[in-house]
Amino acid sequence: MTTNLATYSVVLTYSAMAVYVVAFISFALDMAKRSGEVTVGADGTAVASTVRQQQAKTVATVQGGTVVLERVEAPAKTGSGRRGSRFERVGMAMTVLALVLHVGAIVLRGIAADRVPWGNMFEFSLTGTGLIIAIFLLVQLWQNLKFLGVFITGLTLILLGIATVNYYVPVRPLVPALESYWLVLHVFVAIAGTGFFALGAGLAVSQLIQTYRLSHSGASKQLRFMETLPDADRLEVLTYRVLLVGFVLWTFTLIAGAIWAERAWGRYWGWDTKEVWTFIIWVIYAGYIHARATRGWRGARSSWLALVGFSAVMFNFAVVNVFFKGLHSYSGL
């Protein structure tokens, strides 16, 4: 029975990946469509799109006893005010469907293992990518960030692909050190923090592209789709707010990990490789928040620092967890 459930979990995982591919393609097509919504004049400045021109109407006004006909164009919709295209709606629908399959895979893996499904790298990857998608969807209730769909679904596909090919292990019992309620708290909060860091990285990339487009007149034609996204300042503010949530969660991860280490090994800190990199990530994001709040770091500099932090997260995930030996290597990698 356990083997069957684990097999069904893998089937659902691959099914979710197939649907994520459809979502990724839909979001990519939406980005291509955005390019057609904004045209660029000979001087490099954006002018009304074909759609807006078609929606323009003629208004008659009386000026000094003379009837004057004026052509009024529909206002441009940028950023969160833009109505989603058909491709965007399909992408969101496919993302929700994929998440349902994804959650099913996580639940079946947990039932098969008779524990929370994040006791090794494969399970951590499976649950982590699911939570990244869930956070992306939930954030839409606060702010329209659907333009990040191509980044989030693409990242999820890459991480799931690596997990299924390189990290998969059969269901097995936990080692004694992991048999603790701290596994539920510490690891789940770490996964949630990683989800917000991923979302913040997508926003930081968008901010850098937007800044580059505005500072290089020749880039306007190649990056026309960015005209429909929020401006660089707004993207930078959104990046900060999302990463602030991630930083709070990562702070709890660091503290909870130290408490768990004292329960399992009799010390709060032992300079284990995993502990060191968790602290390095915390320092980078703490530096990002401090530099932005007190040193006036805005714009591209803060976004680059945010991407350095996410690079450290990915290094911790893909390199430290796999190739560095230490007390955290017992998770069946």
Side-chain angles (χ1 to χ4, degrees):
M1 181 65 179
T2 297
T3 303
N4 290 337
L5 289 177
T7 301
Y8 295 149
S9 173
V10 173
V11 172
L12 285 179
T13 300
Y14 283 115
S15 300
M17 291 174 66
V19 181
Y20 280 133
V21 170
V22 178
F24 174 80
I25 294 173
S26 299
F27 284 124
L29 290 174
D30 174 64
M31 283 296 178
K33 186 177 184 300
R34 288 171 184 262
S35 297
E37 293 180 358
V38 179
T39 58
V40 180
D43 59 351
T45 59
V47 297
S49 68
T50 303
V51 175
R52 287 173 57 204
Q53 290 172 352
Q54 291 175 350
Q55 294 176 342
K57 58 183 179 180
T58 302
V59 178
T61 58
V62 178
Q63 298 179 5
T66 304
V67 177
V68 179
L69 299 179
E70 295 179 311
R71 188 172 177 81
V72 180
E73 293 179 347
K77 292 184 178 181
T78 60
S80 60
R82 172 185 178 272
R83 182 182 178 183
S85 70
R86 180 181 303 175
F87 293 122
E88 182 183 89
R89 293 194 294 272
V90 170
M92 290 299 293
M94 291 299 99
T95 302
V96 172
L97 175 59
L99 180 61
V100 172
L101 297 172
H102 200 152
V103 171
I106 296 169
V107 171
L108 289 182
R109 179 77 181 195
I111 295 174
D114 194 26
R115 54 172 170 77
V116 290
W118 48 79
N120 51 60
M121 272 294 289
F122 171 73
E123 295 171 357
F124 180 90
S125 304
L126 184 64
T127 305
T129 49
L131 200 52
I132 288 174
I133 294 294
I135 289 172
F136 167 69
L137 293 176
L138 289 174
V139 164
Q140 306 306 321
L141 302 175
W142 162 64
Q143 184 76 27
N144 185 350
L145 300 180
K146 295 183 181 69
F147 59 86
L148 292 179
V150 66
F151 173 81
I152 295 298
T153 54
L155 177 66
T156 298
L157 280 169
I158 292 172
L159 295 179
L160 276 178
I162 293 173
T164 53
V165 173
N166 297 322
Y167 299 156
Y168 180 79
V169 292
V171 174
R172 61 184 62 173
L174 293 174
V175 297
L178 285 178
E179 293 179 349
S180 170
Y181 61 87
W182 284 107
L183 174 66
V184 179
L185 296 175
H186 170 68
V187 180
F188 181 80
V189 174
I191 294 172
T194 301
F196 279 98
F197 288 154
L199 196 63
L203 287 167
V205 170
S206 300
Q207 192 273 337
L208 289 172
I209 296 175
Q210 194 74 287
T211 300
Y212 177 80
R213 183 185 67 84
L214 295 175
S215 59
H216 295 76
S217 58
S220 296
K221 294 182 179 180
Q222 290 76 20
L223 301 173
R224 287 184 293 182
F225 67 92
M226 295 298 295
E227 188 72 18
T228 64
L229 271 59
D231 60 34
D233 290 339
R234 179 61 178 167
L235 288 169
E236 196 267 337
V237 170
L238 291 173
T239 302
Y240 174 75
R241 292 178 179 177
V242 168
L243 291 183
L244 191 61
V245 177
F247 176 74
V248 172
L249 294 173
W250 200 259
T251 301
F252 179 86
T253 298
L254 193 64
I255 296 172
I259 297 173
W260 189 9
E262 194 278 331
R263 301 287 180 86
W265 303 312
R267 89 290 186 279
Y268 290 100
W269 189 263
W271 297 103
D272 182 72
T273 308
K274 181 74 172 180
E275 296 172 346
V276 170
W277 270 99
T278 301
F279 181 67
I280 289 174
I281 294 169
W282 185 89
V283 169
I284 293 174
Y285 281 109
Y288 163 81
I289 293 172
H290 177 76
R292 189 185 181 281
T294 63
R295 305 293 296 178
W297 277 38
R298 294 290 192 277
R301 289 194 299 178
S302 65
S303 292
W304 278 117
L305 188 54
L307 290 179
V308 169
F310 189 65
S311 298
V313 172
M314 289 293 98
F315 183 84
N316 184 46
F317 168 78
V319 178
V320 174
N321 285 340
V322 179
F323 298 105
F324 286 75
K325 300 300 179 182
L327 291 173
H328 290 77
S329 300
Y330 48 58
S331 53
L333 307 184

